[in-house]
Amino acid sequence: MLPGRLSWVPLLLALGVGSGGGSEGGGGSSRRRRLLAAKVNKHKPWIETSYHGVITENNDTVILDPPLVALDKDAPVPFAGEICAFKIHGQELPFEAVVLNKTSGEGRLRAKSPIDCELQKEYTFIIQAYDCGAGPRETAWKKSHKAVVHIQVKDVNEFAPAFKEPAYKAVVTEGKIYDSILQVEAVDEDCSPQYSQICNYEIVTTDVPFAIDRNGNIRNTEKLSYDKQHQYEILVTAYDCGQKPAAQDTLVQVDVKPVCKPGWQDWTKRIEYQPGSGSMPLFPGIHLETCDGAVSSIQLTTELQTNYIGKGCDRETYSEKSLQKLCGASSGIIDLLPSPSAASNWTAGLLVDSSEMIFKFDGRQGAKVPDGIVPKNLTDQFTITMWMKHGPSPGVRAEKETILCNSDKTEMNRHHYALYVHNCRLVFLLRKDFDQADTFRPAEFHWKLDQICDKEWHYYVINVEFPVVTLYMDGATYEPYLVTNDWPIHPSHIAMQLTVGACWQGGEVTKPRFAQFFHGSLASLTIRPGKMESQKVISCLQACKEGLDINSLESLGQGIKYHFNPSQSVLVMEGDDIGNINRALQKVSYINSRQFPTAGVRRLKVSSKVQCFGEDVCISIPDVDAYVMVLQAMEPQITLRGTDRLWRPAAQFESARGVALFPDIKIVSTFAKAEAPGDLTPTAPKSAALEEMLHNLDFCDILVLGGDLDPRQECLELNHSELHQRHLDATNSTAGYSIYGVGSMSRYEQVLRHIRYRNWRPASLESRRFRIKCSELNGRYTSNEFNLEVSLLHEVRVSDNEHVNHLIVQPPFLQSVQHPEARTSVQRSSVVPSIATVIIIISVCMLVFVVAMGVYRVRITHQHFAQETEAAKEAEMDWDDSALTITVNPMEKHEAPGHREEETEEEEEAEDDISSSGSDSDASDEEEVEGGVGRGRHGQSGARQAQLEWDDSTLPY
């Protein structure tokens, strides 16, 4: 306790009494008291020289050893022998000493405020004892000697262990046992060794192959496998020596690294390609791990394997004729393996291999090409093209496998020209006639190529410019390694037979038959007499629409060499810097330029060859095996729309221009695009919005339904200039019209609108039905079947003497109308006529009126029609003025939207008096006649439908 805070009350009282005793004799009294005190308080208090104490933190009691007791020899003298205070010497000490018993001198040391061991673990200070002096007013206290007090603060386990890091991470290599993978460390803020030290660590996560010791070292208890588990996450807790656990566990993450194996890292096995996305990088994050190998150079070969897609890769699947035209090939190509049809049926019996354009030959069949398809004399210049997939020939001694053969049909067995495979050699035979040359001339040309028997698709072109024959395979030029000569063939009158897949043996056998069968697949086998193909066209015909690409060649870096094969399916890169090689491979991409690519898998392989600095054994880099998944493109829905029924008068069918069948045909292609999820309400069903798209077509067929055309009286016509200026072709037959060639939908629309139908005998025509169907990619996507029915607009001729009888019995659709003049005359009559008289009068009036109106309308109609036909330079309709001619269609109820009637004022006035049924019929007939010649074909997009014909023999007038 500080001196200022000790209880000095008795001393102060004694002093107060001495000082307040009056003024008289004051000085003498002071001296007497001092002398008295000196005689009474002779001794100083006594305490121990040192004390040791213990205090528990957050407590105020200090336990001292020995106890705090002061003694005074002046005892039992009052005041002088009593202990009044203990004084602590020191600054800002949190302790005070109090006297418990003055007489016994017993005292106690206590804390004035809570003691925190974490702030200070021990205290040392000086303490002295004071007696009470000679009396209550005496200030001359005596103090003891100074004693040293040493106090230790006893700790309480109030803090839990805490880890120094919230999480720990380590990387280990698979297949090894570690003594220590990493060490975790926790601390405790308590001050004592018992509570501040960490005595134990424990792994909380169960079933993990790890253990931890009391120092926090984590080790694995078994060998780790990267394939089994790439990463482990475990929780660890800590205990102090008071067994208090950590407030929060720590996370330990252990990554298992595979044993360092040289190879490519960070690449994806499956690569998805969305059609229309252009050039897409294949390995954007790939890099090479060399495991510190001393690599001096590396060569990479990236191969896109597409031999199982179509004919070796994704190419346009148009017909061979269309492809030839797209590539700018000269005209006159003859397809020897066309898709089976009525016009080309010699391939109907052949096996089809996954596509109508690929034919498979199993060594047991061949096809005869009909006479007249290929000219007999091919001249000295011609070209043969084909796609072929062929494997090694069966048997020890392989026989000839004929691809194309022109031999004698009967009697003899001479081969005039042939193309065949023999012992993985491609041989072309060409025997000239004796009348063309009588010298020993080249006859057989041999090529020995590995590709002939590798069971892969290859494109072959044989250009003949006799006596020079050149082979192009996949765009590369090959000269024959062997040329054998032979004598010309003597002329004869024996017919020749051209065959595919085998050779026809017509002589030297009991029964003509096929021989030398081909084993393999063929497609697009063509021959073009009289012309040779250019290198540019050949490259275009075999070009792939998919392949490998490099994004930004400029950024490849120095020291990188690269090379593509012609089809861009193989890319070779070479360099001596690993970083540049990594960046170069990251730029390798896949591209497919088709609008509708073939969906499916394209295998991808990257092989590496490494050279090291002076090392006998260099590292080996495993191949990268991945694949590109080309997703399905949006499938178009091709729709044909237009007028599906036409009525035209006979004069139009007979005219030189005929009748335009499809004046308003429209071709639209759409695809279903799914709506975004946010656009739909929760209760609304999921729907797809149709979005229009543009693409090409490759053919449209106009078929005649209900029997072929009779060429003696009818035909379909199309001006060839309409085709040529749009780069299309067409074939015409009695079965219909076929337009083909790769062109836009708008081009096909324009050509179809110019298709015309003519009939020289329209009187026998009841109706003609036609059907259009269009295609894209040789039938991969087809349109709807658009049907059109064309009918004759009949003319009704009646004579004057038949009018009365017909009008007496009126048909139900003709309502009776009394003429106003007749009704007035009846009213003015003063005599009431009989019923028969009234009927006769009314009938005569109506007869006169109908005849007058009929003649008038016929003449008006005739004048209109004559003017329009003269302006259009079409044949004039022949009208007979001697008889009444009225064109009617009584069942028509409505007209197309936007239809405008153009009639004279006289006709409008006449219609006020004629029934609505008759008026509608006449007006519709007149519009039909005028529309067929004038504005009806161009100005009206929606024509009338459901119009009916009727027999003029039952028409009453």
Side-chain angles (χ1 to χ4, degrees):
M1 179 180 290
L2 295 177
R5 298 180 63 183
L6 298 176
S7 179
W8 299 94
V9 177
L11 295 178
L12 292 176
L13 290 175
L15 290 175
V17 173
S19 62
S23 60
E24 52 180 316
S29 297
S30 251
R31 287 193 294 271
R32 286 195 298 270
R33 286 195 296 272
R34 286 196 292 271
L35 292 174
L36 178 61
K39 293 179 180 179
V40 175
N41 193 6
K42 299 178 180 181
H43 300 93
K44 298 178 180 179
W46 177 89
I47 58 174
E48 298 286 345
T49 56
S50 64
Y51 294 90
H52 293 276
V54 176
I55 184 173
T56 303
E57 64 176 340
N58 300 325
N59 199 349
D60 62 350
T61 301
V62 180
I63 301 175
L64 288 177
D65 183 24
L68 183 59
V69 176
L71 301 176
D72 197 323
K73 292 182 179 180
D74 294 327
V77 177
F79 298 105
E82 296 178 348
I83 302 301
C84 278
F86 293 97
K87 184 178 179 182
I88 295 176
H89 298 280
Q91 296 181 353
E92 298 182 359
L93 293 173
F95 298 99
E96 62 180 0
V98 296
V99 178
L100 299 179
N101 191 319
K102 294 182 179 181
T103 303
S104 63
E106 183 181 357
R108 186 176 68 180
L109 189 63
R110 64 185 181 186
K112 296 187 294 183
S113 60
I115 303 300
D116 191 349
C117 179
E118 286 71 38
L119 295 179
Q120 191 168 342
K121 296 181 180 180
E122 57 185 23
Y123 297 87
T124 301
F125 52 88
I126 302 297
I127 192 171
Q128 287 181 299
Y130 290 81
D131 60 13
C132 296
R137 297 183 180 183
E138 184 61 54
T139 59
W141 294 350
K142 289 188 179 293
K143 56 184 179 182
S144 67
H145 59 271
K146 295 180 179 179
V148 178
V149 180
H150 182 77
I151 299 176
Q152 289 184 337
V153 181
K154 185 178 180 181
D155 188 22
V156 175
N157 195 3
E158 57 181 335
F159 292 99
F163 287 94
K164 288 186 175 182
E165 300 292 337
Y168 294 84
K169 187 174 183 179
V171 179
V172 298
T173 303
E174 65 174 346
K176 294 179 61 177
I177 295 292
Y178 290 83
D179 294 333
S180 177
I181 297 175
L182 79 161
Q183 183 182 21
V184 297
E185 185 178 359
V187 294
D188 197 315
E189 295 183 1
D190 289 316
C191 63
S192 64
Q194 180 182 3
Y195 300 136
S196 64
Q197 292 183 357
I198 305 300
C199 286
N200 191 24
Y201 291 91
E202 181 181 340
I203 295 177
V204 179
T205 307
T206 59
D207 298 329
V208 290
F210 298 96
I212 190 170
D213 61 16
R214 61 185 304 168
N215 294 322
N217 294 305
I218 298 177
R219 59 182 177 86
N220 57 319
T221 57
E222 61 183 48
K223 293 181 180 180
L224 304 180
S225 173
Y226 177 81
D227 296 332
K228 181 179 179 181
Q229 191 166 342
H230 296 355
Q231 186 183 82
Y232 292 88
E233 291 184 350
I234 57 177
L235 294 176
V236 176
T237 190
Y239 295 90
D240 60 17
C241 294
Q243 294 302 307
K244 191 168 188 175
Q248 185 174 2
D249 301 333
T250 188
L251 176 65
V252 178
Q253 180 178 308
V254 180
D255 292 330
V256 181
K257 184 178 69 173
V259 175
C260 187
K261 299 175 183 177
W264 295 99
Q265 307 291 331
D266 297 336
W267 54 274
T268 305
K269 188 174 184 65
R270 175 188 171 99
I271 306 156
E272 291 189 353
Y273 182 81
Q274 184 68 42
S277 56
S279 182
M280 184 188 70
L282 296 172
F283 310 108
I286 196 170
H287 66 277
L288 180 62
E289 175 61 62
T290 61
C291 296
D292 300 327
V295 176
S296 61
S297 66
I298 182 170
Q299 183 186 77
L300 302 180
T301 301
T302 306
E303 182 180 2
L304 182 68
Q305 300 174 352
T306 59
N307 51 354
Y308 46 89
I309 302 294
K311 294 189 289 291
C313 70
D314 207 3
R315 295 180 171 90
E316 296 293 0
T317 56
Y318 294 118
S319 65
E320 188 63 24
K321 287 185 178 180
S322 297
L323 289 176
Q324 295 273 353
K325 195 159 189 176
L326 279 177
C327 291
S330 53
S331 59
I333 181 175
I334 302 172
D335 193 355
L336 300 180
L337 284 177
S339 297
S341 64
S344 55
N345 59 357
W346 66 87
T347 59
L350 299 179
L351 298 177
V352 178
D353 184 9
S354 74
S355 170
E356 291 185 0
M357 302 174 66
I358 298 176
F359 296 89
K360 184 176 182 180
F361 295 86
D362 58 359
R364 293 177 296 180
Q365 57 184 352
K368 292 182 180 181
V369 180
D371 297 337
I373 299 295
V374 179
K376 180 179 178 181
N377 184 14
L378 293 179
T379 72
D380 288 342
Q381 286 188 351
F382 60 92
T383 301
I384 298 175
T385 65
M386 67 175 178
W387 283 96
M388 182 178 73
K389 182 169 71 171
H390 181 265
S393 302
V396 178
R397 183 179 179 181
E399 295 184 356
K400 295 180 180 179
E401 299 179 56
T402 301
I403 300 170
L404 179 66
C405 180
N406 189 29
S407 60
D408 291 331
K409 184 178 292 186
T410 59
E411 300 181 22
M412 303 181 71
N413 191 29
R414 299 176 301 174
H415 295 183
H416 297 265
Y417 62 86
L419 181 64
Y420 59 90
V421 176
H422 189 209
N423 288 326
C424 292
R425 292 170 174 83
L426 186 65
V427 182
F428 177 65
L429 170 68
L430 179 61
R431 299 284 301 277
K432 287 291 184 178
D433 292 339
F434 192 82
D435 55 357
Q436 294 177 332
D438 56 355
T439 59
F440 215 48
R441 307 193 66 176
E444 283 190 354
F445 304 85
H446 299 249
W447 293 272
K448 185 178 180 180
L449 302 172
D450 295 335
Q451 292 88 338
I452 295 174
C453 292
D454 64 357
K455 297 182 180 180
E456 304 291 347
W457 280 105
H458 299 284
Y459 187 62
Y460 299 85
V461 177
I462 298 175
N463 266 351
V464 178
E465 189 175 15
F466 195 82
V468 178
V469 179
T470 305
L471 171 67
Y472 296 90
M473 189 194 69
D474 295 337
T477 306
Y478 296 90
E479 298 296 334
Y481 81 95
L482 176 63
V483 177
T484 60
N485 298 331
D486 203 347
W487 291 103
I489 296 178
H490 288 275
S492 67
H493 300 287
I494 301 175
M496 290 180 288
Q497 178 63 61
L498 181 62
T499 56
V500 177
C503 196
W504 183 254
Q505 190 172 0
E508 302 177 0
V509 291
T510 57
K511 182 180 180 181
R513 59 182 175 83
F514 281 115
Q516 301 175 1
F517 292 95
F518 179 73
H519 297 78
S521 297
L522 296 174
S524 303
L525 177 60
T526 67
I527 189 168
R528 178 180 285 103
K531 294 183 180 179
M532 292 194 309
E533 275 314 347
S534 64
Q535 179 73 38
K536 181 179 179 181
V537 172
I538 293 172
S539 299
C540 174
L541 290 173
Q542 62 90 33
C544 289
K545 293 298 182 179
E546 64 178 342
L548 299 175
D549 191 19
I550 296 179
N551 289 332
S552 181
L553 292 173
E554 298 79 6
S555 60
L556 277 183
Q558 297 180 353
I560 299 296
K561 301 177 182 179
Y562 68 93
H563 172 72
F564 283 101
N565 69 334
S567 62
Q568 287 195 215
S569 61
V570 177
L571 169 63
V572 179
M573 295 189 297
E574 186 175 356
D576 53 8
D577 182 79
I578 300 299
N580 288 339
I581 285 290
N582 289 337
R583 287 187 288 272
L585 188 55
Q586 290 169 5
K587 296 181 182 299
V588 176
S589 59
Y590 169 81
I591 187 171
N592 194 316
S593 59
R594 293 190 64 192
Q595 186 178 11
F596 305 108
T598 304
V601 172
R602 275 74 162 165
R603 295 189 182 93
L604 196 63
K605 182 179 181 181
V606 180
S607 55
S608 309
K609 292 182 180 179
V610 179
Q611 293 182 355
C612 298
F613 290 102
E615 298 287 341
D616 295 336
V617 179
C618 197
I619 60 175
S620 177
I621 308 297
D623 294 341
V624 172
D625 289 318
Y627 64 93
V628 178
M629 174 58 73
V630 178
L631 304 179
Q632 184 70 44
M634 294 289 187
E635 294 195 0
Q637 297 179 356
I638 307 172
T639 305
L640 305 178
R641 296 197 297 260
T643 304
D644 59 358
R645 190 161 188 184
L646 295 176
W647 287 268
R648 292 294 181 264
Q652 288 196 24
F653 289 104
E654 296 173 345
S655 66
R657 294 176 57 88
V659 174
L661 294 180
F662 314 105
D664 58 352
I665 191 72
K666 184 69 176 174
I667 306 176
V668 178
S669 182
T670 58
F671 68 94
K673 184 177 181 181
E675 294 184 354
D679 298 338
L680 301 175
T681 58
T683 57
K686 292 184 179 180
S687 60
L690 293 181
E691 190 167 320
E692 189 170 343
M693 67 187 306
L694 298 178
H695 57 78
N696 291 329
L697 299 176
D698 57 356
F699 71 80
C700 282
D701 288 337
I702 300 99
L703 303 178
V704 180
L705 304 180
D708 292 349
L709 297 175
D710 186 354
R712 296 172 298 179
Q713 67 178 33
E714 57 184 343
C715 70
L716 290 174
E717 291 184 349
L718 177 63
N719 192 340
H720 284 277
S721 62
E722 300 291 341
L723 292 169
H724 293 160
Q725 67 184 1
R726 294 173 177 85
H727 305 286
L728 300 176
D729 291 316
T731 58
N732 190 7
S733 67
T734 58
Y737 219 104
S738 180
I739 305 169
Y740 60 89
V742 180
S744 64
M745 292 184 290
S746 62
R747 288 184 181 181
Y748 271 87
E749 280 182 3
Q750 295 167 4
V751 171
L752 288 174
R753 290 172 182 174
H754 287 84
I755 295 286
R756 294 182 173 273
Y757 172 67
R758 293 183 60 195
N759 194 313
W760 299 278
R761 300 173 185 174
S764 61
L765 176 66
E766 291 298 329
S767 66
R768 260 297 182 191
R769 291 185 298 121
F770 301 91
R771 175 178 295 166
I772 305 181
K773 190 172 185 180
C774 297
S775 158
E776 164 67 336
L777 296 176
N778 203 34
R780 179 177 172 184
Y781 304 112
T782 57
S783 71
N784 62 314
E785 294 181 347
F786 177 76
N787 295 318
L788 170 69
E789 183 174 350
V790 179
S791 300
L792 178 67
L793 192 61
H794 287 281
E795 302 166 4
V796 181
R797 299 174 182 267
V798 295
S799 58
D800 295 340
N801 55 3
E802 294 177 334
H803 293 167
V804 177
N805 295 335
H806 289 177
L807 287 174
I808 293 176
V809 183
Q810 296 184 1
F813 60 86
L814 186 61
Q815 299 178 2
S816 298
V817 178
Q818 292 183 346
H819 197 279
E821 296 178 0
R823 185 169 57 249
T824 304
S825 63
V826 172
Q827 292 175 354
R828 290 178 179 178
S829 177
S830 58
V831 180
V832 179
S834 64
I835 297 177
T837 304
V838 174
I839 293 176
I840 293 173
I841 294 174
I842 293 175
S843 299
V844 171
C845 293
M846 290 187 63
L847 174 61
V848 174
F849 174 77
V850 170
V851 171
M853 288 301 300
V855 173
Y856 174 77
R857 295 198 58 172
V858 165
R859 291 187 177 183
I860 292 297
T861 303
H862 176 66
Q863 292 175 2
H864 281 249
F865 180 76
Q867 293 174 359
E868 291 178 358
T869 53
E870 182 179 359
K873 295 183 179 181
E874 296 186 3
E876 181 179 352
M877 182 178 292
D878 188 13
W879 292 86
D880 188 5
D881 295 339
S882 61
L884 177 63
T885 303
I886 302 176
T887 304
V888 294
N889 192 348
M891 299 303 293
E892 186 178 38
K893 295 299 183 182
H894 60 278
E895 295 177 342
H899 181 68
R900 297 173 300 173
E901 294 186 351
E902 298 179 1
E903 300 207 358
T904 61
E905 295 180 0
E906 291 84 358
E907 290 175 324
E908 294 176 357
E909 293 173 359
E911 285 180 351
D912 293 337
D913 300 325
I914 300 179
S915 64
S916 59
S917 175
S919 176
D920 289 344
S921 302
D922 294 343
S924 63
D925 293 340
E926 182 177 351
E927 286 294 324
E928 196 63 57
V929 172
E930 294 176 356
V933 178
R935 70 178 184 277
R937 180 163 57 249
H938 303 286
Q940 298 179 0
S941 60
R944 297 189 186 92
Q945 300 182 357
Q947 300 188 37
L948 303 178
E949 305 173 7
W950 73 356
D951 190 357
D952 58 358
S953 63
T954 60
L955 178 64
Y957 270 96

